[in-house]
Amino acid sequence: MALSSPLQNLSALISAKGNATAAATPRPPRGRPWAVHAAASDTNAAASVQMSEYEEGKLERPKWVGETPLSRLVQALISFKPLYSVLKLGARRALISTAEKNNIPWRQMAKEILESEVYRELDNIQNQSLVYPDYYLNPFHAYDEGNLTWLAAAEAEAATLSIAKRAIPDASSTQEANQILRGNWLRAIEQHHMQYSESSVINDILDIGCSVGISTRYLADKFPTAKVTGLDLSPYFLAVAQHKEKNAPPRKFPVRWIHANGEDTGLPSKSFNLVSIAFVVHECPARAIVNLVREAFRLLRPGGTLALVDSTTKSKVLQELSPVLFTLLKSTEPFLDEYYLTDMDETLREAGFGNITSILTDPRHVTITATVP
């Protein structure tokens, strides 16, 4: 591949820099294992499942995060536009190639969406008066227009499945990996709500940053008697979500899709038992993370649960990423450092949440749950 030589040279450069500073980087004591339940293939099954343990890494956060010499070097490389273009293209090729090697038909899945009648959904979904926050207009995930494009929306499901397979590489299939990842997340939500809420019933659910509705559909399947709303800033993602839902078996309560800003939804206060923010905050600057958490607090009823799931600096896997991989990662995630340097527990505490609990629900991701008093 034409990119192999530049990326190999990049790897050697970053590795040399990282090795030069490693001796000067203090290492805190090794973290304890995080015990979680692995999900059964049916996330609604009541049968007992095998206990699994996911370990923290040795560091507080990866050496490529923040103001470390290695992080500054990577940021300087990304800021060099000719190299950034190479990295962006490399990241995209790597994502598609890895997905298809794992039997995720990335290009075929995107083609089916782009050749479908999904375009008819846009007019019904799009809020023409919505003003996008400045950070949302940045390139994301190797798309120059970020999430505001049909191609990003068409490829979102394949990309999401790839996340699951990367997180659970030993799973026998992508489907099994996705069931484990989603099942552990749903189990953490359910256990937290049952433990800390006066009522175990969940009637109203909001999924902020729902993308093409994958997390939303899992929530609707897990809590079939609840009214579920998916909210996102991208009308293209929402059009795909609505298109897919229309072609799925009918539900007792159809999922509602809203094109709005999760920082200021315009929805009534105290109108939900559960607010989910899944794989969103790593794409947000710190100010947006604070606003999302405050809005979730406003929207939840007393005893309601907030559930956040995203990548974590404590992940042993992320701490041990190769130089090429973490450089490619940072080149497609412009606000990753801001997220990794945000104290999420303190952010939730300052917004008014209590019973804040964090659990590593797979080797790469943490699920944080909290309660409105």
Side-chain angles (χ1 to χ4, degrees):
M1 184 163 114
L3 293 174
S4 59
S5 180
L7 290 179
Q8 286 172 357
N9 294 338
L10 176 66
S11 177
L13 172 64
I14 297 173
S15 293
K17 184 71 174 180
N19 291 337
T21 60
T25 304
R27 291 190 171 191
R30 184 176 183 83
R32 63 174 177 81
W34 296 51
V36 301
H37 289 285
S41 59
D42 177 2
T43 56
N44 293 315
S48 61
V49 291
Q50 183 181 358
M51 178 71 75
S52 178
E53 289 187 347
Y54 303 125
E55 281 191 313
E56 295 180 16
K58 296 178 180 180
L59 307 174
E60 181 66 23
R61 61 177 62 93
K63 292 192 289 290
W64 43 268
V65 169
E67 290 300 318
T68 65
L70 182 59
S71 178
R72 287 196 293 270
L73 171 62
V74 172
Q75 193 57 48
L77 292 171
I78 293 170
S79 300
F80 183 54
K81 287 188 177 181
L83 181 56
Y84 170 74
S85 298
V86 173
L87 290 172
K88 184 176 67 174
L89 181 58
R92 177 167 173 76
R93 287 182 177 178
L95 284 170
I96 296 173
S97 174
T98 302
E100 294 186 340
K101 285 178 182 177
N102 286 317
N103 297 315
I104 301 168
W106 181 298
R107 281 171 279 209
Q108 181 59 34
M109 291 173 70
K111 183 173 181 285
E112 289 175 1
I113 291 294
L114 293 171
E115 293 180 354
S116 72
E117 297 181 348
V118 67
Y119 308 98
R120 296 182 179 181
E121 307 296 341
L122 189 64
D123 288 342
N124 297 327
I125 286 285
Q126 190 167 20
N127 176 5
Q128 297 285 356
S129 64
L130 181 63
V131 177
Y132 295 103
D134 56 355
Y135 67 86
Y136 198 72
L137 303 175
N138 281 317
F140 277 106
H141 302 158
Y143 302 106
D144 288 338
E145 295 174 302
N147 293 332
L148 295 173
T149 169
W150 282 115
L151 182 60
E155 294 184 335
E157 183 170 9
T160 303
L161 291 173
S162 297
I163 290 172
K165 194 65 174 74
R166 285 199 303 272
I168 317 289
D170 295 332
S172 61
S173 67
T174 300
Q175 181 182 15
E176 182 187 27
N178 203 41
Q179 292 290 355
I180 293 172
L181 184 147
R182 300 290 177 174
N184 286 343
W185 163 65
L186 290 169
R187 194 179 307 280
I189 293 171
E190 184 177 43
Q191 290 178 348
H192 183 99
H193 193 79
M194 289 181 67
Q195 181 174 355
Y196 295 110
S197 179
E198 292 183 4
S199 172
S200 60
V201 177
I202 295 178
N203 294 320
D204 299 283
I205 300 174
L206 175 64
D207 189 20
I208 294 178
C210 67
S211 181
V212 295
I214 296 172
S215 55
T216 321
R217 290 192 291 274
Y218 269 95
L219 289 164
D221 290 343
K222 178 67 176 177
F223 304 102
T225 61
K227 296 177 182 177
V228 180
T229 300
L231 183 147
D232 202 271
L233 267 169
S234 172
Y236 305 97
F237 282 27
L238 290 169
V240 172
Q242 184 162 282
H243 171 73
K244 284 183 168 291
E245 190 68 12
K246 283 184 175 180
N247 289 282
R251 302 181 188 276
K252 180 180 179 181
F253 298 111
V255 176
R256 179 173 61 144
W257 307 102
I258 297 178
H259 182 212
N261 186 347
E263 300 175 60
D264 183 14
T265 63
L267 297 172
S269 299
K270 300 180 181 179
S271 52
F272 297 95
N273 307 104
L274 170 63
V275 171
S276 166
I277 305 177
F279 306 107
V280 172
V281 290
H282 74 276
E283 297 181 0
C284 300
R287 68 182 189 276
I289 296 173
V290 170
N291 291 338
L292 285 168
V293 168
R294 288 175 176 171
E295 180 70 351
F297 186 88
R298 183 187 71 82
L299 292 168
L300 283 164
R301 300 176 182 127
T305 297
L306 170 64
L308 285 152
V309 61
D310 219 308
S311 60
T312 173
T313 57
K314 301 295 182 65
S315 165
K316 185 174 185 290
V317 175
L318 291 182
Q319 290 184 10
E320 296 176 357
L321 282 182
S322 71
V324 166
L325 287 179
F326 66 64
T327 303
L328 291 176
L329 176 64
K330 293 188 80 168
S331 73
T332 63
E333 301 285 3
F335 300 110
L336 196 61
D337 267 12
E338 288 198 48
Y339 162 60
Y340 280 160
L341 294 172
T342 297
D343 185 333
M344 291 303 302
D345 283 10
E346 184 61 26
T347 300
L348 267 62
R349 198 173 292 114
E350 288 181 355
F353 284 98
N355 303 320
I356 301 166
T357 305
S358 298
I359 184 166
L360 205 62
T361 41
D362 67 63
R364 286 174 175 257
H365 302 110
V366 64
T367 297
I368 305 173
T369 47
T371 309
V372 172

